[in-house]
Amino acid sequence: MITLVIVLNLLIALLCLLGAWSFLQLRRSLADITFTLTEAERNTHEVLYGAPENIRNGQLGLYELRQAYQRSGLQLQRMQRGLLLLGLSRSIWRPRLRSRKRLRR
């Protein structure tokens, strides 16, 4: 009977040892996962820390670029109108100048 109790106690002790070993392996795995996730979070933070400011700067730069493009479009329209008027004035005055030259001859 004592032998049976001792064998049962040994089996229970081995099962407890196996359970403790499994928990230790689980703890190590969880520690590795925690370390990996912490490193990923740290790297992500380093990469994205300045993102809001960079996005704002990019939006501001884009806004200024659009304003400059709009101003240059207006300037282009003014120049085209000026050249058109210059061309019209030359075509209007050119025949008169030719007729005056003919009269002088």
Side-chain angles (χ1 to χ4, degrees):
M1 189 71 176
I2 291 180
T3 310
L4 183 63
V5 171
I6 292 174
V7 171
L8 286 175
N9 279 341
L10 284 176
L11 285 175
I12 292 171
L14 286 176
L15 286 174
C16 287
L17 184 61
L18 181 63
W21 180 258
S22 297
F23 281 124
L24 182 63
Q25 294 291 27
L26 179 64
R27 182 177 177 262
R28 287 181 182 166
S29 296
L30 290 175
D32 289 342
I33 291 170
T34 302
F35 177 76
T36 302
L37 289 175
T38 303
E39 284 296 312
E41 191 274 332
R42 185 177 298 127
N43 292 335
T44 303
H45 178 74
E46 287 177 11
V47 169
L48 298 178
Y49 177 72
E53 185 66 28
N54 293 337
I55 290 171
R56 272 191 295 268
N57 290 340
Q59 287 175 340
L60 180 62
L62 186 60
Y63 173 77
E64 291 172 355
L65 180 64
R66 285 179 178 158
Q67 294 296 320
Y69 182 73
Q70 188 177 17
R71 283 191 302 270
S72 65
L74 293 173
Q75 288 176 349
L76 178 64
Q77 286 178 351
R78 288 181 190 143
M79 285 179 31
Q80 287 174 338
R81 288 179 190 158
L83 289 173
L84 181 64
L85 288 174
L86 182 64
L88 285 173
S89 66
R90 287 185 65 182
S91 65
I92 291 172
W93 288 103
R94 186 175 292 166
R96 291 184 182 176
L97 291 176
R98 287 182 185 167
S99 64
R100 286 184 184 174
K101 287 181 181 178
R102 289 182 190 165
L103 292 175
R104 290 183 185 172
R105 287 186 187 174

